[in-house]
Amino acid sequence: AQSVAQPEDQVNVAEGNPLTVKCTYSVSGNPYLFWYVQYPNRGLQFLLKYITGDNLVKGSYGFEAEFNKSQTSFHLKKPSALVSDSALYFCAVRDGGDDKIIFGKGTRLHILP
Amino acid sequence: GAGVSQSPRYKVAKRGQDVALRCDPISGHVSLFWYQQALGQGPEFLTYFQNEAQLDKSGLPSDRFFAERPEGSVSTLKIQRTQQEDSAVYLCASSLARGNNQPQHFGDGTRLSIL
C-alpha cells in the first residue's frame, strides 16, 4: 500500500531565505506525486505535480519540487520565502494503478518577517 | 460557480442524529472524491465516484457512512447515527477526468461537530 511521510511538523524560515519542506513516499508501482497548500478554514490548493519526465517540477507561486527516485523523496522548495507562504503544506502520492490519493500529515510552514 | 462548492460550511449535530453534506463539483468534472480531515491531520480518503458510479468506497469508516451521486454531478455524503468521533472537516474534490495525472480541485469543506 502507498504511504507518504512528512517528517517535520513545522518548519520556520526567515523571509527571503530558501525553504525546503520534506516528503518521502512508498508505492508499489509508479508514483504520481503532488503538493498541496491549505490556508486556514479553506480547502487544499494544488501547487504542482510529478508524473514523469524532468525530475525538477515547477509549480504555482514560485514553488518547485525535486523527484528523487533512489531516495523516494519529493521535497518542496522555494528559493526565496515570502511571509504569505506561511500555511500548511501536504505532500500526496497516487500509485500508478490506483485512483485515490494518499496524503501526508502536513507540515506547517512559518515564514518569519 | 468556478470552484467546488460544499454546504453547509459548518454543521453542529447531537450524537445520534443523521447529517447530510453536499458537494457541487466543478461543472464537467467526471471524478469526485470525499475526504475526512481530522484536526491536525492530512485528509483521509473516504470514497470516489466516476460520474454516478461509486468505484471505491474502501475508506468509509463504517456502514453509518453512505455517499451517492445519482446524476453524476452533485454528491451527498450522509452519516447516520452520528458519533463524537465523526467530528472532522469533510472535504470534497473533483477532477476533470479519470487519470492519474489529473490534479484534484478541493472545496472549502464542511466542519462537522458532534456534541
Side-chain angles (χ1 to χ4, degrees):
Chain A
Q2 61 259 45
S3 65
V4 177
Q6 293 181 244
E8 303 151 318
D9 290 336
Q10 183 169 307
V11 172
N12 297 322
V13 177
E15 186 177 24
N17 282 3
L19 69 87
T20 298
V21 183
K22 296 179 180 177
C23 172
T24 59
Y25 66 89
S26 174
V27 296
S28 56
N30 291 323
Y32 296 81
L33 296 155
F34 305 83
W35 275 101
Y36 287 82
V37 61
Q38 187 176 35
Y39 296 98
N41 297 316
R42 302 298 302 275
L44 279 68
Q45 294 180 29
F46 170 75
L47 281 179
L48 51 79
K49 65 183 180 184
Y50 171 83
I51 304 300
T52 187
D54 196 351
N55 288 345
L56 184 63
V57 178
K58 294 188 183 297
S60 306
Y61 313 119
F63 284 94
E64 57 189 28
E66 186 168 10
F67 171 65
N68 187 316
K69 186 174 182 179
S70 63
Q71 296 185 2
T72 61
S73 67
F74 189 56
H75 301 331
L76 181 70
K77 300 181 180 183
K78 187 173 182 179
S80 179
L82 300 173
V83 172
S84 58
D85 293 331
S86 299
L88 190 55
Y89 290 80
F90 291 98
C91 181
V93 66
R94 175 185 272 159
D95 194 319
D98 205 351
D99 288 304
K100 63 188 179 190
I101 286 179
I102 302 300
F103 287 86
K105 291 187 174 182
T107 297
R108 188 164 298 281
L109 180 62
H110 285 287
I111 307 302
L112 308 172
Chain B
V4 176
S5 178
Q6 291 188 246
S7 60
R9 285 296 316 276
Y10 303 92
K11 176 69 178 177
V12 180
K14 293 182 178 179
R15 188 175 60 173
Q17 289 182 329
D18 298 347
V19 298
L21 313 179
R22 177 188 169 104
C23 173
D24 267 289
I26 294 173
S27 178
H29 278 198
V30 168
S31 299
L32 186 145
F33 301 80
W34 282 99
Y35 294 87
Q36 181 189 61
Q37 186 176 21
L39 189 64
Q41 301 294 317
E44 293 202 5
F45 171 82
L46 293 177
T47 186
Y48 158 63
F49 290 85
Q50 184 182 358
N51 294 308
E52 69 278 2
Q54 189 174 20
L55 299 187
D56 188 340
K57 54 181 181 180
S58 62
L60 296 177
S62 77
D63 59 6
R64 296 186 295 105
F65 286 71
F66 172 77
E68 60 183 4
R69 194 186 184 198
E71 298 180 358
S73 58
V74 171
S75 177
T76 303
L77 176 67
K78 298 179 179 178
I79 309 173
Q80 298 176 321
R81 304 181 304 281
T82 53
Q83 304 293 317
Q84 284 191 323
E85 62 263 28
D86 299 334
S87 296
V89 175
Y90 290 85
L91 296 169
C92 176
S94 68
S95 63
L96 185 59
R98 188 179 192 183
N100 295 332
N101 62 347
Q102 298 290 329
Q104 295 181 10
H105 300 266
F106 282 80
D108 287 339
T110 295
R111 183 177 297 275
L112 176 64
S113 299
I114 305 300
L115 305 179

